[in-house]
Amino acid sequence: MRVLENCEPKQVFYYFEEICKIPHGSRNTKQISDYLVAFAKEHGFDYVQDEMNNVIIYKPATPGYENAPTVILQGHMDMVCEKRPDVQHDFEKDGLNLSVKDGYVTANGTTLGGDDGIAVAYALALLDSTDLPHPALEVLITVDEEIGLLGAVGLDCSVLKGKRMINMDSEAEGSLWISCAGGLSAVSHIPVARVDAEGEKLQIKVCGLMGGHSGSEIDKKRANANVVMGRFLYGLKREADYEIISMTGGQKDNAITREAVCDILVSKEEMDAVKAYASKVEKGLREEYDGSDKGISIQITEAGHESSKVLHPTSREKVLFYLMEVPFGIQKMSANIEGLVETSTNIGIVSLSEDEFFASSGVRSSVEAARNALSDKIQYLTEFLGGEYEIQGAYPAWEYRKESPLRDKMVEVYETMYGQKPEVVAIHAGLECGLFYKKIDGLDCVSLGPDMKDIHTSEEVLDIASTERVWKYLVKVLEELKD
């Protein structure tokens, strides 16, 4: 028996479960891309699979809609791969372990990939349908959205004829997203030197944080483990002499870092001081983040006496200075749209190799000048410390369009179905719509999706009832797009 067999709509959840059987993390999308191509071949649809593994599947209009403008249905096939520390799961090889509980689909300790697997499932169910009226469809499923919208960046949009696009990458039923922030990855490479040292090795682990999406949940004021680690190590200098061996925290700069680890050397006499300080800081952090990360923890583990290469004192100070000074969180709220985060940054990844300290921050803003100014700030910090800076995966903001027949029609349909207007909102998270808006002249675009919680974390869930309601709404919208 299929885990989602009793979930409605059946075809949508059938395809969602099929997708979840296939590993499809970012940069590991060949298998899921080939699955989409096989689907197109099986159903007799024309398709394009480009060199990046982006896939476009074409379905002709149903009778009576031959003259209606083509609609692009768009989502991405890759997912963020995160798991709880106690969960054994290989995202490169294993399918997801699904279950249904209290009206939600979850993946039992790993990310679910509802962002954006549900878009793929909606699209396949529509392509598979024989009784749903709709204009000609161009189903565009991109790769590597979660690591810089790379598939959308590389897509040759000349293979698309449509000027109306319904993006299915939102996580809030009842909201139509019509604008989003642009962004980039701010990457720092700072050289470090090492010296020989010996002492008692201690592992410091910052854990128990909520994490979350660095765009849609940056306003939750959640703690970032890399930032907390920097604070702890800076304060520890007042309590004990120590040397840094290694450090790592986070895997993606679009996820608020949940866990960071640092190995240090101290003298035997100062081990108790380190533990006492960790206990003190943990207590303070739990008070500070009571509303968001009440389970935050600083764990100290003894690893025995060791001789090791540690950071030269000057290099240690460079790393601490960077961690203390690199911006994190909301930098500015919008002055024009109430409640909208305009500019933010998230130091999502840090790592310390033999000769380099590496850090990557996700920078977002709906104002290009503000995005670039924040990037400049991180660049100046990096170069001040003798490092090299690079920008990766820059993408534009999706600008608000004053005249939008698609938006107007979707608002009208929603109001007819539910007796109230949907929220029409700009968001801080990045969407591929901005790139397509730049590439396709005259594109009219709206984003929708069902309710999901805690995306990009191991607690991610997809609301089953909401998925069904959004499906019915999407089907009705397509039915109404006859002219």
Side-chain angles (χ1 to χ4, degrees):
M1 178 178 175
R2 303 174 65 87
V3 176
L4 306 184
E5 185 174 2
N6 295 321
C7 297
E8 295 286 349
K10 287 191 181 297
Q11 279 300 91
V12 172
F13 281 105
Y14 169 82
Y15 283 115
F16 186 74
E17 189 162 356
E18 288 295 294
I19 292 162
C20 290
K21 293 176 182 177
I22 304 170
H24 57 282
S26 301
R27 300 195 191 280
N28 184 34
T29 54
K30 176 61 174 169
Q31 190 176 350
I32 188 72
S33 178
D34 288 346
Y35 170 83
L36 296 174
V37 168
F39 173 94
K41 290 179 177 178
E42 181 183 343
H43 289 76
F45 296 136
D46 291 335
Y47 69 91
V48 171
Q49 182 183 40
D50 67 14
E51 293 181 356
M52 298 185 71
N53 291 321
N54 294 310
V55 174
I56 303 100
I57 301 175
Y58 304 90
K59 184 180 183 183
T62 55
Y65 287 76
E66 293 88 350
N67 296 321
T70 298
V71 175
I72 304 169
L73 296 176
Q74 193 269 319
H76 62 87
M77 66 183 80
D78 63 313
M79 63 174 283
V80 169
C81 298
E82 293 284 344
K83 65 183 182 70
R84 289 201 308 263
D86 61 314
V87 173
Q88 297 296 316
H89 187 88
D90 185 347
F91 283 105
E92 293 290 319
K93 300 176 182 178
D94 300 337
L96 301 176
N97 179 20
L98 301 181
S99 67
V100 175
K101 183 178 181 181
D102 299 328
Y104 292 95
V105 180
T106 182
N108 298 317
T110 73
T111 37
L112 174 66
D115 173 19
D116 195 23
I118 195 60
V120 182
Y122 278 151
L124 294 179
L126 281 164
L127 290 169
D128 195 27
S129 68
T130 57
D131 59 346
L132 300 177
H134 57 72
L137 300 178
E138 297 176 330
V139 171
L140 167 59
I141 309 297
T142 54
V143 300
D144 296 342
E145 187 269 354
E146 298 290 5
I147 52 173
L149 287 67
L150 302 184
V153 169
L155 182 73
D156 176 3
C157 287
S158 66
V159 296
L160 298 168
K161 300 291 189 293
K163 300 289 187 179
R164 291 175 171 177
M165 175 183 283
I166 299 176
N167 168 278
M168 300 176 288
D169 193 15
S170 78
E171 304 92 37
E173 181 190 355
S175 289
L176 300 180
W177 293 355
I178 43 76
S179 176
C180 74
L184 56 83
S185 292
V187 180
S188 302
H189 304 268
I190 299 173
V192 297
R194 291 184 177 265
V195 295
D196 293 320
E198 65 176 309
E200 303 304 314
K201 183 178 178 180
L202 297 178
Q203 182 185 85
I204 304 164
K205 179 186 283 189
V206 176
C207 55
L209 284 68
M210 280 292 295
H213 190 288
S214 66
S216 59
E217 291 171 319
I218 200 71
D219 61 339
K220 305 290 195 300
K221 307 293 180 66
R222 293 175 180 174
N224 179 304
N226 292 328
V227 175
V228 172
M229 181 64 78
R231 284 174 53 179
F232 177 83
L233 292 173
Y234 177 76
L236 184 60
K237 293 198 304 179
R238 296 189 292 264
E239 309 295 325
D241 291 327
Y242 69 91
E243 309 293 345
I244 295 177
I245 303 171
S246 64
M247 184 186 303
T248 183
Q251 299 177 337
K252 301 171 183 67
D253 62 29
N254 62 358
I256 301 169
T257 309
R258 299 180 60 169
E259 187 173 294
V261 176
C262 180
D263 290 339
I264 65 172
L265 289 183
V266 298
S267 67
K268 196 173 188 65
E269 293 74 23
E270 298 198 75
M271 291 172 62
D272 289 342
V274 175
K275 294 175 183 177
Y277 182 65
S279 179
K280 175 184 174 182
V281 172
E282 177 182 279
K283 181 180 178 182
L285 288 168
R286 289 184 176 182
E287 292 176 359
E288 180 179 352
Y289 290 101
D290 179 60
S292 60
D293 297 270
K294 61 183 180 180
I296 193 168
S297 177
I298 298 181
Q299 300 175 359
I300 307 296
T301 303
E302 297 181 25
H305 190 83
E306 183 172 305
S307 297
S308 183
K309 292 280 190 180
V310 300
L311 290 185
H312 184 280
T314 301
S315 295
R316 184 188 70 169
E317 292 310 306
K318 285 184 178 182
V319 170
L320 295 185
F321 189 85
Y322 186 96
L323 290 174
M324 289 294 290
E325 294 298 322
V326 68
F328 166 69
I330 297 172
Q331 305 297 299
K332 186 177 183 295
M333 299 295 291
S334 172
N336 298 314
I337 303 176
E338 185 176 356
L340 175 67
V341 178
E342 179 187 282
T343 306
S344 76
T345 183
N346 172 64
I347 178 167
I349 310 170
V350 301
S351 64
L352 186 59
S353 66
E354 184 69 22
D355 57 3
E356 179 184 274
F357 175 70
F358 172 90
S360 182
S361 292
V363 175
R364 303 175 188 268
S365 183
S366 50
V367 177
E368 186 174 348
R371 182 197 71 178
N372 294 343
L374 187 51
S375 173
D376 287 346
K377 186 174 185 178
I378 300 173
Q379 179 174 1
Y380 187 31
L381 171 62
T382 302
E383 294 175 347
F384 179 78
L385 295 173
E388 295 184 358
Y389 177 81
E390 62 175 318
I391 292 172
Q392 296 179 354
Y395 58 92
W398 172 23
E399 299 172 6
Y400 174 74
R401 177 172 168 154
K402 291 183 180 179
E403 302 294 330
S404 171
L406 177 60
R407 178 184 67 226
D408 294 343
K409 175 60 71 174
M410 292 179 71
V411 169
E412 176 188 315
V413 171
Y414 190 93
E415 192 170 8
T416 299
M417 290 182 69
Y418 300 109
Q420 61 185 29
K421 291 184 180 294
E423 290 186 282
V424 179
V425 297
I427 64 164
H428 186 57
L431 292 174
E432 294 161 297
C433 304
L435 284 161
F436 297 128
Y437 189 78
K438 296 286 186 183
K439 289 186 173 191
I440 302 173
D441 186 47
L443 183 68
D444 192 0
C445 187
V446 176
S447 180
L448 56 72
D451 287 335
M452 286 179 264
K453 297 179 182 178
D454 296 318
I455 63 169
H456 295 192
T457 79
S458 57
E459 314 308 314
E460 180 184 0
V461 294
L462 170 65
D463 188 313
I464 296 169
S466 178
T467 299
E468 182 175 19
R469 289 191 297 268
V470 171
W471 165 254
K472 290 178 178 177
Y473 172 61
L474 176 62
V475 167
K476 187 63 176 177
V477 166
L478 292 173
E479 181 182 341
E480 294 294 319
L481 293 177
K482 203 167 187 177
D483 50 43

